[in-house]
Amino acid sequence: MKYSKYLKIAVGTALLVGPFIFQACKSVKVPAGVQVVDNFNIKSYAGKWYEIARFDFKHEKDMDQVTAEYTLNEDGSVKVLNRGFDTVKNEWKESEGKAKFIGEETRGALKVSFFGPFYSGYNVVAMDPDYENALIFGESKDYIWFLSRNKTMPEQVKQKFLKLARDAGYDLDRLVWTKQ
């Protein structure tokens, strides 16, 4: 009798929380209307990238000198190491995550997780043929990154990425230009 009370609580909790966990763990898809890079090569993409611009969000707020480093894992996933300087707390911060392909490994459609089973979309939508500059869209219009192998990005590339983002419906007034 005593255990049936706890069983009811456990089942009730699972029924209430289960749908939220399922939603958080569901497979991430490329947003409708977003075209990712074809003929993507993760080996060429691996290495260090400098963040040139982004939309601010909780985990990068007040950050300068932001970099992302991608390293291939033996299981086909990608280790992601984000690093930046918090200008308010006056300290360096790091966050390690894991990225996996959504579908074929020749398409720039990935999902990334920094928090266990919770993944978010990471879509490479434009890139130089020599893998020097990349435009990344998240799974919603709240996430965008301009990345470069260098601390600066050529103006013509910046303008091309701005046009692509504007045409995709991004509010470019929200763009934060990262100090490197």
Side-chain angles (χ1 to χ4, degrees):
M1 282 305 231
K2 187 163 127 182
Y3 294 110
S4 68
K5 175 182 174 187
Y6 295 112
L7 181 61
K8 287 179 184 176
I9 291 170
V11 170
T13 301
L15 289 173
L16 288 173
V17 177
F20 295 106
I21 292 172
F22 174 77
Q23 185 69 17
C25 297
K26 71 177 183 174
S27 63
V28 176
K29 296 178 182 162
V30 177
V34 171
Q35 297 296 316
V36 298
V37 171
D38 283 320
N39 300 315
F40 183 76
N41 184 325
I42 192 62
K43 289 180 182 176
S44 297
Y45 193 79
K48 186 174 186 175
W49 290 86
Y50 294 92
E51 181 185 87
I52 304 302
R54 69 171 182 271
F55 280 176
D56 239 356
F57 65 101
K58 179 180 169 183
H59 300 291
E60 283 193 60
K61 187 134 182 75
D62 301 314
M63 300 278 262
D64 283 340
Q65 301 177 56
V66 178
T67 59
E69 190 153 356
Y70 303 95
T71 309
L72 305 177
N73 293 322
E74 287 184 20
D75 67 358
S77 67
V78 180
K79 175 183 168 186
V80 180
L81 182 63
N82 289 345
R83 188 167 197 263
F85 187 76
D86 186 321
T87 60
V88 173
K89 294 183 179 179
N90 201 33
E91 65 185 18
W92 287 96
K93 291 191 171 183
E94 275 188 1
S95 184
E96 187 175 319
K98 180 189 269 190
K100 297 179 179 181
F101 281 93
I102 301 171
E104 299 172 28
E105 292 184 11
T106 57
R107 297 183 66 242
L110 297 100
K111 59 183 182 178
V112 66
S113 174
F114 291 93
F115 311 104
F118 306 102
Y119 281 87
S120 185
Y122 182 97
N123 302 292
V124 183
V125 296
M127 185 167 21
D128 295 342
D130 57 0
Y131 288 74
E132 286 294 311
N133 300 288
L135 175 61
I136 313 303
F137 289 171
E139 64 185 28
S140 74
K141 290 189 174 55
D142 288 326
Y143 302 98
I144 186 172
W145 295 270
F146 289 35
L147 302 179
S148 181
R149 297 290 189 178
N150 304 296
K151 291 183 178 184
T152 60
M153 181 179 279
E155 187 61 31
Q156 72 272 18
V157 175
K158 232 186 262 185
Q159 292 305 317
K160 175 185 171 186
F161 287 178
L162 287 167
K163 181 178 180 347
L164 288 168
R166 188 178 307 108
D167 290 350
Y170 281 82
D171 176 7
L172 298 181
D173 290 336
R174 296 179 53 199
L175 211 54
V176 173
W177 295 95
T178 309
K179 293 178 185 166
Q180 286 292 346

